[in-house]
């Protein structure tokens, strides 16, 4: 017997625009928070206890906010299509922009952040040139490198910085307009491997550094999974065929058990990450789902999945929190 289709445990309304990006911050202070970035330029800081927007931040001149992250409980980083990455101080009730990085890119490629030591991070973003990825150190904004492939691969579509357990420095995965994935060595500024994951542009990807596995999506009817071998070669693996084409975003839960996809068909699909077995289809939204995020609660029973849609609503779901079989 299949389970009945789940419903959201609650929804958040009032964002006033399509929800491009979601970011949880639930493990720091007393109040679990969800940050959302809208197509109208607003950043909402939602208090998940009273389910209300505690702060509304406007720092991108009305341009679409496409990515959010937190460096600590009090530092928010936002990226807008105004070619700016802004750093916000939210401590003690503040809502101040304390610094900004000019990216030169008007594309949709979301930044990637990697903490290298306490208080110091690397920030990767699509640069001014079509195929360029730039990396700077924060908070100093010192340029680290610029990564440009030899061949013409089109625009940079998505990037992911990560620090391998072994090996000297960070690596970066990038998806390009021609459907290619590239693995870069940031320290050496060199390409380590390449694979053609899709015939269409890579719209989104996510990577599991513990298992050295990743998955990517595009405008077609399939997800492409891949892994890194011991020589850092990208190896294409299984494909997941979707009912309807088009995926905006992919997200793996921290425990490595679940994968969620944000579908152009208004649905969120949940898979077991180990074997990519379909587990649930979450239906609530009336337009394209643009973003998905799993919460970072310390207590696994409190974990949430959030989805943001073009219908200007955020849905929150509690699924597979009791250690259910999710293979």
């Amino acid at each position: 017997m299949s389970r009945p289709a789940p419903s959201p445990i609650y929804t958040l309304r009032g964002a006033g625009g399509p929800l491009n990006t979601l970011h949880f911050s639930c493990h720091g202070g007393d109040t679990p928070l969800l940050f959302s970035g809208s197509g109208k330029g607003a950043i909402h800081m939602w208090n998940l206890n009273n389910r209300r927007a505690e702060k509304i931040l406007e720092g991108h001149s009305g341009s679409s906010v496409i990515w959010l992250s937190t460096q600590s409980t009090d530092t928010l980083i936002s990226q807008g299509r105004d070619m700016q990455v802004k750093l916000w101080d939210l401590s003690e009730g503040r809502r101040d922009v304390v610094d900004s990085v000019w990216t030169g890119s008007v594309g949709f490629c979301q930044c990637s952040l990697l903490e290298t030591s306490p208080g110091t991070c690397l920030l990767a973003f699509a640069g001014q040139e079509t195929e360029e990825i730039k990396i700077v150190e924060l908070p100093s904004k010192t340029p680290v490198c610029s990564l440009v492939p030899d061949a013409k691969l089109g625009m940079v579509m998505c990037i992911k910085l990560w620090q391998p357990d072994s090996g000297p420095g960070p690596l970066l995965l990038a998806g390009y307009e021609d459907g290619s994935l590239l693995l870069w060595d940031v320290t050496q500024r060199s390409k380590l491997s390449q694979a053609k994951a899709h015939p269409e542009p890579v719209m989104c990807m996510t990577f599991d550094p513990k298992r050295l596995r990743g998955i990517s999506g595009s405008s077609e009817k399939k997800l492409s999974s891949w892994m890194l071998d011991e020589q850092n070669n990208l190896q294409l693996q299984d494909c997941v065929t979707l009912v309807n084409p088009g995926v905006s975003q992919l997200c793996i839960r921290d425990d490595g058990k679940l994968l969620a996809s944000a579908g152009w068909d208004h649905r969120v699909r949940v898979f077991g990450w180990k074997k990519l077995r379909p587990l649930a289809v979450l239906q609530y939204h009336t337009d394209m789902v643009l973003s998905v995020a799993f919460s970072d609660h310390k207590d696994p029973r409190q974990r949430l999945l959030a989805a943001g849609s073009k219908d200007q609503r955020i849905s929150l779901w509690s699924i597979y929190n009791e250690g259910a079989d999710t293979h």
Side-chain angles (χ1 to χ4, degrees):
M1 291 279 292
S2 63
R3 298 182 181 194
S7 300
I9 53 167
Y10 59 92
T11 60
L12 302 172
R13 302 180 186 206
L19 277 316
N20 297 323
T21 181
L22 298 168
H23 177 77
F24 281 99
S25 181
C26 300
H27 62 282
D30 303 327
T31 310
L33 300 172
L34 174 66
F35 294 91
S36 68
S38 89
K40 296 284 173 70
I43 299 163
H44 285 64
M45 185 173 106
W46 303 92
N47 176 327
L48 298 182
N49 288 338
N50 63 20
R51 303 173 189 181
R52 295 212 170 111
E54 205 153 271
K55 289 180 184 171
I56 302 173
L57 310 172
E58 301 263 4
H60 290 279
S61 315
S63 291
S64 188
V65 177
I66 61 170
W67 175 79
L68 296 167
S69 188
T70 44
Q71 205 172 346
S72 63
T73 47
D74 296 324
T75 305
L76 174 73
I77 303 175
S78 63
Q79 176 193 10
R81 292 197 71 207
D82 57 351
M83 304 196 238
Q84 299 278 356
V85 174
K86 300 279 175 86
L87 280 75
W88 302 77
D89 176 8
L90 303 180
S91 61
E92 297 170 356
R94 295 188 189 92
R95 50 181 77 195
D96 304 331
V97 175
V98 290
D99 210 346
S100 63
V101 176
W102 188 76
T103 65
S105 168
V106 292
F108 292 95
C109 181
Q110 297 179 318
C111 294
S112 182
L113 191 72
L114 176 69
E115 188 174 21
T116 48
S117 60
T120 308
C121 292
L122 292 178
L123 178 75
F125 53 89
Q128 199 171 358
E129 303 303 318
T130 303
E131 289 154 333
E132 177 185 34
I133 299 165
K134 284 190 166 174
I135 301 176
V136 298
E137 194 175 79
L138 293 179
S140 67
K141 299 201 286 189
T142 308
V144 174
C145 67
S146 175
L147 305 172
V148 182
D150 301 332
K152 293 278 180 224
L153 305 176
M155 282 196 310
V156 183
M157 303 297 290
C158 44
I159 51 180
K160 171 77 175 169
L161 271 171
W162 60 286
Q163 177 64 55
D165 291 337
S166 58
L171 302 179
L172 181 139
L173 280 157
Y176 294 84
E177 195 178 357
D178 80 334
S180 294
L181 291 170
L182 265 68
L183 178 67
W184 292 92
D185 182 320
V186 172
T187 313
Q188 303 293 329
R189 297 154 180 59
S190 62
K191 183 184 86 172
L192 294 176
S193 61
Q194 182 171 346
K196 180 91 166 167
H198 301 273
E200 301 286 329
V202 185
M203 301 299 291
C204 55
M205 71 167 170
T206 188
F207 183 69
D208 179 349
K210 292 189 191 80
R211 294 160 188 82
L212 299 180
R213 279 181 67 207
I215 193 161
S216 50
S218 74
S219 61
E220 53 184 335
K221 269 188 171 182
K222 68 168 194 178
L223 303 175
S224 178
S225 78
W226 30 272
M227 64 167 290
L228 295 178
D229 67 14
E230 289 166 7
Q231 283 77 43
N232 282 324
N233 291 314
L234 278 160
Q235 307 271 5
L236 296 179
Q237 290 191 297
D238 308 326
C239 284
V240 178
T241 303
L242 302 171
V243 178
N244 299 304
V247 179
S248 306
Q249 204 171 32
L250 293 161
C251 186
I252 299 166
R253 198 165 72 180
D254 281 348
D255 63 0
K257 289 189 175 174
L258 297 182
L259 167 74
S261 70
W264 294 2
D265 64 355
H266 313 175
R267 292 165 176 81
V268 175
R269 295 179 189 276
V270 181
F271 303 87
W273 175 225
K274 191 174 178 183
K275 295 180 182 170
L276 298 175
R277 188 160 68 89
L279 298 176
V281 180
L282 309 182
Q283 298 192 52
Y284 165 77
H285 292 286
T286 57
D287 209 331
M288 290 168 71
V289 183
L290 302 175
S291 49
V292 280
F294 284 105
S295 73
D296 54 345
H297 284 93
K298 280 226 167 88
D299 180 352
R301 290 167 302 181
Q302 295 180 315
R303 284 185 301 219
L304 298 169
L305 168 62
S309 169
K310 198 175 174 182
D311 67 11
Q312 308 188 12
R313 296 175 188 176
I314 300 166
S315 59
L316 287 110
W317 310 75
S318 175
I319 51 165
Y320 297 106
N321 284 345
E322 302 303 325
D325 174 27
T326 54
H327 301 316

